[in-house]
Amino acid sequence: MSPKETEKYFSDSGLRAERHSYTIDDRSINFVTVPNENGPTIIFFHGAPGSWSAFKHFMTDSLLLSVASLVSIDRPGYGYSDFGRSEPSLHKQSELIKPLLQKYANTKTILVGHSLGGPVVAKLAMMYPDLVDALIMIAPSIDPDLEPEEDWFRAPMRTPFISWLVPTSFLVTNEEIYFLEDELRIMLKDWSSITVPITVIQGNSDMLVHPANADFAQKMLVNSSKVELITEDDLNHFIPWNKPELIRSAILEMIEKIKGD
């Protein structure tokens, strides 16, 4: 959404959102907030393709707004975070996002990641454990062995001959997914470092991310204080839009869970 569309969306909802950006390593990172000074901070991370507006309906949820500050980010290369300039390295993405976590270092912080946003929030928890208090992963692409073999069309999309025909957002997505299996293998040794509570929401009818990714999470998160799996047979990949109440309930439960920590 453009800045004007963002302003209109929230004004029509009776809310005042704040649009922010910061610069790090010659990159610009954009995010939108609806603050609440008395609660924890929930930060939403979209998939690929996507933008902060993938979670716009959560940002106007009156119940969530009554208990937490809500933040939604344009991940590097998407939206107003240097649109078109991809960053396939999850390590580098995390470094670029670190200032956002630091901004909310004085509050309890829950990271919510959908699809490719799932491994991003996991990587952030691995790299910056003092800045992350809980994770909610929704249909996350996290098991390298479950990544589909798609090089036959993803490799040609990276060539100049084909790339100029493809929409920019899909080029950014292609670049991330092309390297994702390798990035997930790099993460394998670090899953045991995550100690925060985690909820994984996965649909068994997901045709884009294999449902067994949820089992992978349970297997790898051996030191998490609590791992909860929420699965439903009729859910597909688009849970934030098709079943948002599942995510809202998971967030509210997680807020209660971390209150006393």
Side-chain angles (χ1 to χ4, degrees):
M1 297 176 75
S2 71
K4 286 186 177 179
E5 288 173 325
T6 298
E7 184 177 343
K8 184 178 187 306
Y9 179 79
F10 283 102
S11 63
D12 287 350
S13 305
L15 298 171
R16 183 167 181 80
E18 300 173 2
R19 182 172 173 268
H20 303 271
S21 65
Y22 61 87
T23 301
I24 175 174
D25 296 343
D26 84 342
R27 300 291 300 252
S28 179
I29 304 298
N30 178 73
F31 60 100
V32 174
T33 72
V34 183
N36 179 335
E37 295 180 359
N38 300 315
T41 301
I42 316 300
I43 307 180
F44 297 98
F45 293 79
H46 62 82
S51 71
W52 79 265
S53 61
F55 291 98
K56 66 182 183 181
H57 47 303
F58 290 91
M59 304 282 284
T60 57
D61 185 295
S62 59
L63 184 52
L64 291 179
L65 289 167
S66 71
V67 295
S69 290
L70 304 182
V71 180
S72 192
I73 185 175
D74 286 332
R75 293 197 297 106
Y78 296 97
Y80 286 86
S81 294
D82 294 337
F83 181 63
R85 188 178 173 189
S86 63
E87 182 46 72
S89 165
L90 294 179
H91 185 97
K92 182 61 178 177
Q93 272 204 57
S94 297
E95 290 180 335
L96 296 174
I97 294 167
K98 182 182 180 183
L100 180 59
L101 302 188
Q102 291 174 318
K103 177 179 173 66
Y104 298 100
N106 293 328
T107 71
K108 298 283 189 180
T109 303
I110 301 171
L111 308 186
V112 180
H114 174 238
S115 193
L116 211 148
V120 172
V121 300
K123 187 74 170 184
L124 287 165
M126 293 170 183
M127 292 179 61
Y128 309 116
D130 294 339
L131 298 175
V132 179
D133 294 285
L135 300 179
I136 297 174
M137 296 192 291
I138 309 155
S141 304
I142 51 177
D143 185 345
D145 290 335
L146 293 176
E147 284 301 295
E149 178 51 63
E150 297 176 335
D151 285 359
W152 64 274
F153 77 89
R154 296 207 176 275
M157 280 178 64
R158 302 181 70 237
T159 64
F161 180 74
I162 300 295
S163 62
W164 74 274
L165 297 169
V166 181
T168 301
S169 61
F170 286 95
L171 290 178
V172 177
T173 295
N174 187 67
E175 197 73 359
E176 284 193 307
I177 296 177
Y178 184 77
F179 291 101
L180 182 58
E181 181 180 338
D182 291 340
E183 290 295 307
L184 296 178
R185 293 202 183 281
I186 293 171
M187 290 172 61
L188 285 174
K189 66 184 187 304
D190 296 321
W191 282 97
S192 61
S193 70
I194 297 179
T195 60
V196 298
I198 297 179
T199 298
V200 180
I201 304 174
Q202 177 64 56
N204 290 329
S205 297
D206 193 330
M207 302 299 290
L208 297 178
V209 170
H210 198 290
N213 275 279
D215 301 321
F216 173 85
Q218 190 167 49
K219 179 180 72 174
M220 300 300 288
L221 291 163
V222 294
N223 290 319
S224 167
S225 59
K226 183 174 178 58
V227 180
E228 181 178 3
L229 301 185
I230 300 173
T231 61
E232 291 192 7
D233 289 341
D234 62 343
L235 278 183
N236 60 23
H237 188 64
F238 303 103
I239 302 169
W241 300 273
N242 296 341
K243 206 76 179 282
E245 62 271 21
L246 271 185
I247 300 170
R248 181 174 71 166
S249 295
I251 292 171
L252 294 172
E253 289 175 13
M254 192 65 80
I255 289 173
E256 290 300 314
K257 198 173 296 179
I258 66 174
K259 265 185 178 177
D261 293 348

